[in-house]
Amino acid sequence: MGRTTHRGACPLDCPDTCVWQLTVEDGRAVEIRGDADHPFTRGALCGKVNRYLDAVNGPDRLATPMLRVGPKGAGPIAFRPASWDEALQRVAAGLTASIDRHGPESVLPYYFAGTLGEVQGYTMGQRLFAHLGASRLRTTICTAAANAALGSLYGGMVGFEPESIVEARLIVLWGANLLSTHLHLWPFVQEARRRGAYVVAIDPLRTDTAGRSDAHIAPLPGTDGALALGLMRHLVDAGAVDHEWLDAHVDGWPALAARLREWPVERAAAECGLDPAVLRDLGDRIATTRPTAIKVGLGLQRHAGAGQALRAICAIPLVTGDFRHPGGGALCMTTGHFPWGDVDVARPPDLPQPPARQVNMSRLAAVLTGEADPPVSSLVVFDSNPAATAPDQTRLRQGLLRADLFTVVLEQRWTDTCDYADVVLPATMQPEHLDLSASYGHHYTSLNLPATTPPGEALPNTEIFRRMAAALGLDHPRLRDSDEEIARQHLAGGPVTFEELAERGYARTTGVPVGSAPFAKGGFPTPTGRARLHDPALAAQGVDPLVGYTPPAEKDGAGLVLISAAGRFFLNSTFASLPWHEKKMGAPRIHLHPLDAGARGLADGTPVSVHNEHGAFDAAVAIDDAARPGVAFTFKAYWARRSPGGNTVNAVTAVRDTDLGGAPTFHDTRVELTAR
Ligand SMILES: Nc1nc2c(c(=O)[nH]1)N[C@H]1C(S)=C(S)[C@@H](COP(=O)(O)OP(=O)(O)OC[C@H]3O[C@@H](n4cnc5c(=O)[nH]c(N)nc54)[C@H](O)[C@@H]3O)O[C@H]1N2
Ligand SMILES: Nc1nc2c(c(=O)[nH]1)N[C@H]1C(S)=C(S)[C@@H](COP(=O)(O)OP(=O)(O)OC[C@H]3O[C@@H](n4cnc5c(=O)[nH]c(N)nc54)[C@H](O)[C@@H]3O)O[C@H]1N2
Ligand code: SF4
Ligand SMILES: [Mo]
């Protein structure tokens, strides 16, 4: 067959959505490189995806369906291989038994962003389960607080155009560790610096990104709302409010201005554990620098007060009028700029869908252990590994071990979650299937066409759900659409055709040009086009309608605050079982400031149990002054089955909703340590 090169897109849950060049020999991928033409990829992938072919060609790829024949939780030894026919019969029988016993809402699909693609991501799964009348999943695990906050403030997940950050003169990286999690934005930040920009990182930890910024401010975790209020108060005192722009494009300023009278800089600084001079200095810079760009990370929202924090941070540029300028304003994610509403494709209006309850994915541990009525008695997991990534792991495991729970897992390799399955179905990886990828960090869409042969009998998610529908006796045409048809449905009415994407690989699809200021003249995607500092609709949800501050739930708790941030060589729990990636990350460690280690008599390398009322996990102490005193950190999404003690950091995280959006509060966690 010879050697061919194929353009494809990285499917991982990362804002960069890189385009790659894949070299294929005899149906097998042999080389992967970043596409040199793509304006955001610029010829380089990240370290972890440079080794993506370890995952694609790994000897541990699932190649046949597997049926459980032994106890739950025992791992692959409790399974035997089966044909697709037998496996699908078992799935149909399991789901049907559940429906007969407790009704269709007893079936819960559980999925997230293992692949971000519009086709393999969730479309066919959502169609099948919505048609069945299964419980609807609220996909809250990552960005729900930010979605709700920005949906209220700006009318959607929109912000400044990211490549235009080169125009900014002050860049605030607010809880955003670009060097680990948004690598391809960093060169644009560096370009801005060459043009004279000053870069400030706001993060309780001195991350690599913070260490390489011009200044680093380390507030107490979960206090960003107070910090933002204090900064806005300083802007008022400094006479830096852009009244003309505010009056023209924003609702609610008089009410917020009144609230800011209660937030002198000293109060805000005390709440954040900062010297007031630090706030004043940043406030002065913001007051006098146009354009200022505030790049807001995702991790900072994993606190009880996330909704108010995101609203308050993203209110700052409304007060300064920064959206007037290219590269000015705030940006969390770019998703709201894309012209396609996924909803009609994932849940087509012509497909009958009985009304069904919603289930919050972040509450899975509670849902499986009694919170749901009728109970969830069937769980179908795809594109996700909740046994490693969902909060309250010990309770979740009790739920997954329930004898009366029927669990199906679609996976590429044997994860923690597979241990608790009744049926494991082998899924394809990106080089083997068709997908269409928008982005949450830039403005391009890319098409990924199959280029290699999948291992054994692995199938795309879409095909697995098409066959599952048939096995359940469902034959609506929307449950039979091909992958290409689904991609075309997503593209319908948009600015680029399937053929154009097949030819060029990617296209800019938002209608927002590089170097533009999309909200210079307002036009926010709210019904009135005005941004909302005060949003009466929130009051109906029991939420403060005015931008404000919700303190951390664990504010007065004992012990250390524990942040479990993104690790550079894993992507959530993806890659965490591959030898190269695992070696790069090292065994689980808990990083402590020297003062906190000293106070506990712990030396570097001491094995400890990290524990609280929810559970415990094992790690080795790393003495590290990158941690703020009182704040410890580790990395998220190691696998439990590969961790010492068999638990991960999620054994100490709680099932608890944020103030807005029903998102989880992973970093709003207190722990104590005991030497083992
Ligand atoms: N290499 C790699 N890249 C990834 C991921 C990965 O696992 N690995 N995960 C992907 C996913 S799913 C996501 S959602 C994104 C996450 O992308 P980021 O938001 O950049 O990542 P996090 O590490 O979760 O959090 C960012 C920073 O927020 C800080 N932080 C925590 N609490 C607070 C707080 O209260 N205030 C402030 N100001 N900062 C705080 C953390 O210390 C951390 O340095 O990255 C994506 N990219
Ligand atoms: N303690 C702590 N926990 C966290 C976080 C934190 O900051 N701290 N962050 C949270 C965040 S931001 C997120 S987004 C979640 C993510 O948590 P998850 O959604 O569980 O993400 P991953 O761990 O990457 O698991 C994705 C799985 O999907 C599989 N997969 C990929 N593509 C496909 C496909 O095409 N078909 C099928 N069937 N499977 C596929 C991969 O093999 C992988 O096992 O974790 C959360 N968990
Ligand atoms: S994980 Fe992110 S940075 Fe790495 S290749 Fe994929 S899209 Fe690019
Ligand atoms: Mo995420």
Side-chain angles (χ1 to χ4, degrees):
M1 283 201 279
R3 215 174 146 92
T4 49
T5 301
H6 306 253
R7 208 187 253 125
C10 177
L12 296 173
D13 185 353
C14 166
D16 295 8
T17 311
C18 289
V19 165
W20 64 41
Q21 296 281 352
L22 193 71
T23 307
V24 177
E25 249 176 41
D26 301 328
R28 186 180 159 93
V30 294
E31 206 180 302
I32 193 165
R33 270 173 295 117
D35 184 279
D37 298 337
H38 190 279
F40 217 77
T41 306
R42 294 174 156 194
L45 305 172
C46 61
K48 60 195 176 296
V49 174
N50 279 330
R51 299 290 301 231
Y52 188 67
L53 299 187
D54 292 6
V56 174
N57 296 328
D60 59 334
R61 281 292 300 279
L62 289 166
T64 59
M66 303 286 280
L67 299 185
R68 189 167 63 80
V69 289
K72 280 192 183 183
I77 51 157
F79 287 73
R80 68 164 170 83
S83 69
W84 273 106
D85 275 349
E86 188 188 8
L88 288 165
Q89 284 317 313
R90 176 104 170 243
V91 171
L95 298 184
T96 306
S98 221
I99 294 169
D100 290 347
R101 215 162 47 237
H102 301 292
E105 287 178 327
S106 65
V107 176
L108 178 68
Y110 185 100
Y111 50 92
F112 200 62
T115 176
L116 276 184
E118 311 283 346
V119 180
Q120 305 303 336
Y122 48 81
T123 300
M124 212 28 123
Q126 275 204 30
R127 286 186 186 183
L128 169 60
F129 292 106
H131 187 54
L132 211 54
S135 289
R136 303 252 169 89
L137 192 72
R138 279 183 66 197
T139 48
T140 55
I141 198 92
C142 183
T143 60
N147 275 324
L150 292 184
S152 167
L153 188 72
Y154 296 164
M157 205 31 121
V158 294
F160 66 78
E161 196 289 313
E163 291 166 69
S164 315
I165 203 169
V166 296
E167 313 266 351
R169 287 296 169 268
L170 173 62
I171 296 177
V172 182
L173 302 174
W174 204 315
N177 185 7
L178 302 189
L179 287 171
S180 283
T181 63
H182 198 353
L183 186 63
H184 292 79
L185 188 63
W186 185 251
F188 293 92
V189 173
Q190 292 297 77
E191 172 61 21
R193 264 175 144 172
R194 277 191 290 275
R195 300 186 191 183
Y198 188 84
V199 179
V200 180
I202 302 181
D203 196 309
L205 312 178
R206 195 183 66 248
T207 60
D208 286 353
T209 309
R212 289 170 65 176
S213 298
D214 298 303
H216 171 214
I217 297 176
L220 287 169
T223 63
D224 303 274
L227 179 54
L229 293 175
L231 288 170
M232 285 190 280
R233 166 61 185 267
H234 188 76
L235 294 172
V236 173
D237 293 347
V241 177
D242 185 339
H243 287 287
E244 186 191 78
W245 195 87
L246 252 181
D247 290 348
H249 305 301
V250 182
D251 285 335
W253 172 244
L256 181 58
R259 175 163 284 175
L260 293 180
R261 287 202 277 279
E262 301 158 23
W263 282 94
V265 166
E266 291 71 19
R267 177 184 172 195
E271 186 67 26
C272 303
L274 293 171
D275 182 338
V278 169
L279 249 87
R280 277 195 204 97
D281 179 61
L282 179 59
D284 285 340
R285 284 184 189 278
I286 296 175
T288 55
T289 316
R290 306 275 76 73
T292 289
I294 303 179
K295 173 60 199 161
V296 186
L298 297 172
L300 101 116
Q301 75 194 286
R302 319 214 186 287
H303 296 275
Q308 283 293 42
L310 268 286
R311 287 174 83 203
I313 293 167
C314 295
I316 295 172
L318 300 177
V319 175
T320 56
D322 263 303
F323 279 111
R324 286 178 189 267
H325 315 284
L331 174 68
C332 182
M333 295 163 74
T334 55
T335 32
H337 289 284
F338 286 84
W340 304 294
D342 308 329
V343 178
D344 281 358
V345 181
R347 308 236 323 267
D350 63 338
L351 176 73
Q353 300 160 48
R357 69 173 169 192
Q358 294 204 329
V359 170
N360 181 343
M361 71 186 298
S362 302
R363 304 189 64 84
L364 186 65
V367 166
L368 293 183
T369 54
E371 187 170 275
D373 180 23
V376 167
S377 50
S378 285
L379 182 68
V380 182
V381 180
F382 56 103
D383 300 344
S384 190
N385 181 15
T389 58
D392 208 349
Q393 191 163 76
T394 306
R395 187 152 55 128
L396 175 57
R397 192 173 295 140
Q398 286 162 15
L400 291 170
L401 282 169
R402 268 169 44 199
D404 64 332
L405 178 70
F406 177 71
T407 301
V408 182
V409 178
L410 285 64
E411 252 304 350
Q412 298 164 335
R413 49 189 14 89
W414 198 278
T415 61
D416 285 345
T417 308
C418 294
D419 283 356
Y420 305 94
D422 292 278
V423 183
V424 175
L425 301 173
T428 46
M429 291 189 73
Q430 189 78 344
E432 300 147 7
H433 56 224
L434 183 151
D435 218 334
L436 183 71
S437 298
S439 166
Y440 64 89
H442 57 63
H443 286 231
Y444 304 89
T445 295
S446 42
L447 180 67
N448 177 85
L449 295 171
T452 62
T453 318
E457 297 172 42
L459 293 173
N461 286 348
T462 43
E463 178 60 17
I464 298 175
F465 289 125
R466 286 188 284 262
R467 293 188 187 192
M468 212 182 270
L472 285 160
L474 305 172
D475 69 348
H476 192 282
R478 290 286 83 76
L479 303 176
R480 295 197 302 263
D481 285 338
S482 71
D483 290 6
E484 187 177 318
E485 282 164 338
I486 295 169
R488 287 178 182 279
Q489 290 161 10
H490 273 285
L491 292 170
V496 66
T497 64
F498 185 87
E499 283 69 24
E500 287 165 338
L501 280 178
E503 170 75 24
R504 298 209 312 264
Y506 64 89
R508 198 168 171 95
T509 50
T510 61
V512 177
V514 176
S516 68
F519 305 110
K521 298 192 169 67
F524 290 94
T526 57
T528 58
R530 294 168 69 84
R532 298 178 288 219
L533 297 167
H534 183 272
D535 179 4
L538 292 180
Q541 302 169 37
V543 176
D544 189 341
L546 183 61
V547 167
Y549 172 59
T550 313
E554 298 280 353
K555 185 173 181 228
D556 301 317
L560 302 171
V561 178
L562 178 62
I563 290 175
S564 39
R568 183 171 293 182
F569 295 98
F570 295 164
L571 196 297
N572 294 318
S573 76
T574 302
F575 305 138
S577 63
L578 301 177
W580 184 87
H581 297 77
E582 224 175 359
K583 187 152 173 261
K584 281 295 213 186
M585 285 296 294
R589 271 156 301 155
I590 179 150
H591 298 250
L592 302 179
H593 190 273
L595 289 173
D596 291 321
R600 289 164 178 77
L602 297 169
D604 196 66
T606 309
V608 288
S609 169
V610 183
H611 53 89
N612 62 17
E613 70 273 30
H614 305 292
F617 71 101
D618 293 346
V621 167
I623 296 183
D624 185 349
D625 67 2
R628 204 197 130 110
V631 180
F633 72 98
T634 183
F635 295 107
K636 64 175 173 176
Y638 281 89
W639 287 18
R641 63 203 308 274
R642 303 176 76 85
S643 294
N647 282 335
T648 78
V649 62
N650 277 324
V652 298
T653 58
V655 170
R656 180 201 296 124
D657 296 356
T658 49
D659 54 351
L660 241 175
T665 58
F666 292 111
H667 305 332
D668 206 336
T669 296
R670 291 268 176 173
V671 292
E672 205 32 273
L673 316 183
T674 307
R676 284 188 291 120

